[in-house]
Amino acid sequence: MTRDAYPDLLPSPRILLGPGPSMADPRVLRAMAAPLLGQFDPEFTAVMDEVTRLCRVVFQTANVRAFPVPGTGRAGLEAALVSLVEPGERVVVGVSGRFGLLFCEIAERCGAEVVRVEAEWGRIVEPEAIARALGRGGAKLLCVVHGETSTGVLQPLPEIARLAHSHDALLVVDAVVTLGGTEVATDAWGLDVVVAGTQKCLSCPSGLAPLTYNARAEAALARRRRKVPSNYLDLGQLATYWGPHRFNHHTAPTAMVYGLREALRAIHGEGLKARFERHRLHGDALRAGIAALGLRLFGAEPPAHRLPMVTPVVVPEGVDELRVRRRLLQDFGIEIGAAFGPLQGRIWRIGTMGYSARRENVLLCLVALEAVLRREGWQVEPGAGVEAALAHYAAAGGAESDVADSLGASGIGRID
Ligand SMILES: *Cc1c(COP(=O)(O)O)cnc(C)c1O
């Protein structure tokens, strides 16, 4: 065996503009390299308490329960359902994309009687249709995806929460792609259980699923007749580990908890409003550029139903979907996303989430996409996309990039 059969791991520095993972904030990666602490070391339990307090800020809630479930986003969704649902109970699920289907799949495995409220992929699930399904009575849960990453649709929630409560059901929300990127007003909107993930708008590697639930959900957990059939994902046990009792459950993934703390601290420092505006600004600039390249956005009319952080772009006739993504990756180091199910091969999904949501990334992506599309024979005026995005930034004001700001501050000079 040669000495360098396993050389140093040197992954290429990619620009991650897919539907997740997004680029990790360097300060999150730094925090993750801090020395490990034992999980019951008072210094570590203090970190856990800070994570809970910061989760409350980001979920906009006063809930006692706000902590991360170990595992990726779907571990959080699974923890919520396996802990709340008992076999034979009715669960109404809004389905207009892949993650609505995931809710159905998990609920079915929990033995639920699943009632699907379907909508066309690319549309919201209409509240009237949800009202009809709930009107049949007996639903314990209503599960809805806030940001349907597979289609780029933002589902309005306040009216749906009122419907759930008027039918005595708990509203469980998948906010994996939306938390930290657009408003998720847990208390003001009356959301009972909200689940997120770390690798989308939180700019942290994947591996934790921050979630929160209110007293109504807690009462439902307490009313269970049978033991939760999962030990690892039992919300009641996880909550007593994250609460003052420090019930001995799994070994906390220390480095991930450090990373999440830093990611939440970064959001706290930026401010929720500024962060949501940043996601809106860069998403809108990208969409202006996409339009100027002569490309069409998929679905989501009116614009209020568009996800700010995931832009679904229709693949034009005669253009090779996969070859475009390959060239973006090979020639420009840019990753964008493909699509699933009925949309496979028909759309790309471009994510502008968290640390990835930056002006220089949006501009690079438009330049690269134009170059690659021209090689596919797509006719477009050179520079049209990037010019439209720059015009959007200029019209939005405060359009200097972070780089220009820091160069200006250091006296090196402005970039115009
Ligand atoms: C990414 C995503 C998930 C799945 O999260 P994982 O971390 O991949 O388990 C679930 N729901 C939505 C809306 C997502 O965008």
Side-chain angles (χ1 to χ4, degrees):
M1 198 171 72
T2 57
R3 200 131 55 93
D4 61 354
Y6 301 101
D8 278 357
L9 180 65
L10 288 171
S12 300
R14 302 291 197 215
I15 296 171
L16 299 179
L17 299 178
S22 64
M23 292 159 89
D25 188 329
R27 59 187 270 191
V28 168
L29 297 176
R30 273 200 305 276
M32 291 179 71
L36 298 189
L37 291 164
Q39 67 169 338
F40 296 112
D41 185 320
E43 273 190 42
F44 188 68
T45 55
V47 169
M48 291 170 74
D49 289 341
E50 287 169 348
V51 166
T52 284
R53 287 200 296 275
L54 285 164
C55 277
R56 289 192 191 115
V57 172
V58 174
F59 280 108
Q60 302 183 56
T61 184
N63 286 344
V64 175
R65 304 305 185 188
F67 58 86
V69 170
T72 65
R74 79 177 60 203
L77 298 169
E78 191 147 352
L81 293 192
V82 79
S83 302
L84 283 165
V85 179
E86 293 190 62
E89 289 181 330
R90 182 170 296 171
V91 173
V92 174
V93 183
V95 182
S96 63
R98 178 184 187 208
F99 292 108
L101 290 173
L102 177 63
F103 259 142
C104 296
E105 216 271 333
I106 297 172
E108 274 157 17
R109 283 175 190 251
C110 296
E113 183 211 322
V114 175
V115 178
R116 296 178 184 216
V117 182
E118 311 231 15
E120 196 186 323
W121 288 40
R123 303 263 155 213
I124 63 162
V125 182
E126 291 297 337
E128 297 72 38
I130 288 174
R132 278 195 298 278
L134 290 171
R136 289 164 51 188
K140 181 173 190 181
L141 303 185
L142 168 61
C143 299
V144 174
V145 181
H146 185 213
E148 186 43 91
T149 318
S150 63
T151 60
V153 170
L154 180 68
Q155 175 78 43
L157 294 175
E159 185 180 352
I160 287 176
R162 282 192 292 277
L163 287 171
H165 297 157
S166 71
H167 291 90
D168 223 16
L170 290 168
L171 176 59
V172 179
V173 173
D174 174 344
V176 174
V177 82
T178 44
L179 189 81
T182 191
E183 193 84 53
V184 180
T186 302
D187 290 1
W189 292 351
L191 316 179
D192 298 297
V193 183
V194 187
V195 180
T198 43
Q199 78 275 23
K200 310 275 170 96
C201 291
L202 302 189
S203 305
C204 185
S206 62
L208 287 175
L211 57 67
T212 187
Y213 55 91
N214 61 16
R216 275 163 46 90
E218 182 127 33
L221 293 175
R223 274 199 308 273
R224 276 188 79 100
R225 295 177 303 261
R226 273 162 286 204
K227 216 170 172 172
V228 174
S230 166
N231 168 292
Y232 198 59
L233 297 176
D234 181 333
L235 272 190
Q237 290 199 354
L238 289 165
T240 38
Y241 173 41
W242 276 83
H245 298 298
R246 300 289 169 213
F247 173 82
N248 190 4
H249 193 253
H250 65 287
T251 310
T254 315
M256 275 306 300
V257 174
Y258 292 166
L260 175 59
R261 179 186 179 279
E262 191 60 26
L264 296 171
R265 197 170 80 97
I267 296 175
H268 185 251
E270 182 174 1
L272 288 176
K273 191 164 168 285
R275 193 171 180 97
F276 301 157
E277 278 168 9
R278 174 162 64 84
H279 280 85
R280 166 66 58 198
L281 172 69
H282 296 300
D284 282 347
L286 174 68
R287 288 180 281 275
I290 291 292
L293 289 176
L295 301 171
R296 270 196 319 115
L297 296 182
F298 169 77
E301 287 300 335
H305 295 166
R306 274 184 205 147
L307 272 181
M309 70 290 284
V310 180
T311 300
V313 180
V314 175
V315 179
E317 198 77 43
V319 167
D320 187 318
E321 186 279 315
L322 177 61
R323 194 162 55 208
V324 167
R325 279 188 295 116
R326 274 208 192 116
R327 283 184 172 154
L328 284 174
L329 192 68
Q330 283 166 6
D331 294 348
F332 297 90
I334 294 174
E335 177 179 286
I336 67 167
F340 302 105
L343 298 180
Q344 192 174 7
R346 291 177 49 205
I347 66 169
W348 294 296
R349 294 175 302 151
I350 307 179
T352 39
M353 305 178 193
Y355 193 77
S356 294
R358 307 164 75 80
R359 171 175 145 127
E360 48 270 46
N361 290 347
V362 167
L363 299 178
L364 276 172
C365 178
L366 290 166
V367 167
L369 194 57
E370 180 197 307
V372 171
L373 284 172
R374 285 162 71 87
R375 287 173 73 187
E376 290 286 320
W378 186 246
Q379 302 284 323
V380 55
E381 187 196 328
V386 75
E387 285 301 328
L390 284 169
H392 183 86
Y393 284 122
E400 297 306 317
S401 76
D402 302 341
V403 176
D405 286 347
S406 60
L407 289 180
S410 67
I412 294 173
R414 283 171 45 125
I415 297 175
D416 278 315

